[in-house]
Amino acid sequence: MFLLLFFLSIKFLSSQEFNTELIHHFPYEVNVNDIWGYSTSLGEEYAIVGLQNGTSIVYVSQDEIYEVAFIPGETSTWRDIKVWNDHIYIGTENGSGGIQIVSMENPDNPELVHVWDEIGSSHNIMIDNGFLYIIGADDEDLYILDLEIPENPELIGTWSGDYFHDVCIKDDLLYGCAISTSMMHILDISNK
């Protein structure tokens, strides 16, 4: 009897809104695959949405929601998006997309300013303290780019040894999850 009540409780809770309220939705005609956020110095917020055919940049407020820009990209079921200062970085698994770099210096008119094309595809990207980490890419398992010049990153390090699905960084240590070998690798990145 206890298990039946437990499962009925779970079913009831999962069908109810719990401390949330839908305020907007924004439909797309293609599949979506990732989302990240960007805020201006004035507190204006934008959703950056990975789509099968590019990236959508959407202004979001309590009162309204609308697309301010669409950055086309080659077809892919996967994009990964991160932000550093006033720039958006977009990786993709499509094989030839590189890393797209979008300037948000004018949020009403985002602009694709560069494609870092020293790789074709990547599974994941991460930014930490002014460095872009590209994971699951073509020839190397990890690329490290310096973002001192945000629209023109400089390759400063690589590592090969196992395919990373995702990474996490704490201080000068990078923890890499190698999905194919069920291993966690810890890399010293103090000298990138």
Side-chain angles (χ1 to χ4, degrees):
M1 182 65 167
F2 173 76
L3 284 176
L4 177 60
L5 289 174
F6 175 76
F7 285 114
L8 288 175
S9 298
I10 295 296
K11 175 66 175 156
F12 174 76
L13 288 174
S14 66
S15 65
Q16 302 294 314
E17 295 176 3
F18 187 67
N19 293 331
T20 61
E21 176 187 359
L22 176 66
I23 58 171
H24 297 294
H25 70 275
F26 195 86
Y28 290 100
E29 294 180 7
V30 297
N31 292 336
V32 299
N33 50 44
D34 196 21
I35 190 165
W36 201 253
Y38 172 79
S39 295
T40 69
S41 59
L42 299 175
E44 298 170 317
E45 295 186 349
Y46 295 81
I48 308 160
V49 183
L51 305 175
Q52 191 172 12
N53 61 348
T55 304
S56 172
I57 302 171
V58 178
Y59 174 80
V60 178
S61 75
Q62 186 73 23
D63 301 321
E64 61 184 337
I65 181 172
Y66 57 87
E67 186 176 68
V68 295
F70 174 75
I71 308 299
E74 295 185 33
T75 301
S76 179
T77 58
W78 184 252
R79 291 183 202 290
D80 198 44
I81 302 162
K82 299 296 185 288
V83 171
W84 177 250
N85 293 336
D86 290 328
H87 288 80
I88 300 168
Y89 298 84
I90 306 161
T92 181
E93 288 187 338
N94 70 11
S96 60
I99 302 294
Q100 291 181 312
I101 303 169
V102 177
S103 172
M104 289 292 285
E105 291 175 356
N106 178 357
D108 293 327
N109 188 26
E111 179 184 1
L112 178 65
V113 292
H114 185 67
V115 176
W116 192 79
D117 60 2
E118 293 187 38
I119 61 161
S121 69
S122 60
H123 174 69
N124 207 337
I125 59 176
M126 180 176 186
I127 295 177
D128 182 67
N129 204 25
F131 296 95
L132 174 66
Y133 298 84
I134 303 172
I135 302 124
D138 300 333
D139 297 325
E140 305 288 342
D141 296 307
L142 173 71
Y143 289 80
I144 304 171
L145 280 64
D146 186 336
L147 299 179
E148 185 176 346
I149 303 171
E151 64 278 353
N152 193 20
E154 177 187 359
L155 177 64
I156 59 169
T158 63
W159 180 82
S160 285
D162 213 344
Y163 176 88
F164 286 157
H165 175 74
D166 206 351
V167 300
C168 183
I169 297 169
K170 173 85 170 132
D171 300 323
D172 285 328
L173 297 177
L174 180 142
Y175 300 84
C177 295
I179 193 169
S180 300
T181 60
S182 301
M183 297 281 289
M184 171 72 74
H185 296 280
I186 303 171
L187 305 180
D188 180 344
I189 56 170
S190 56
N191 181 2
K192 295 169 184 45

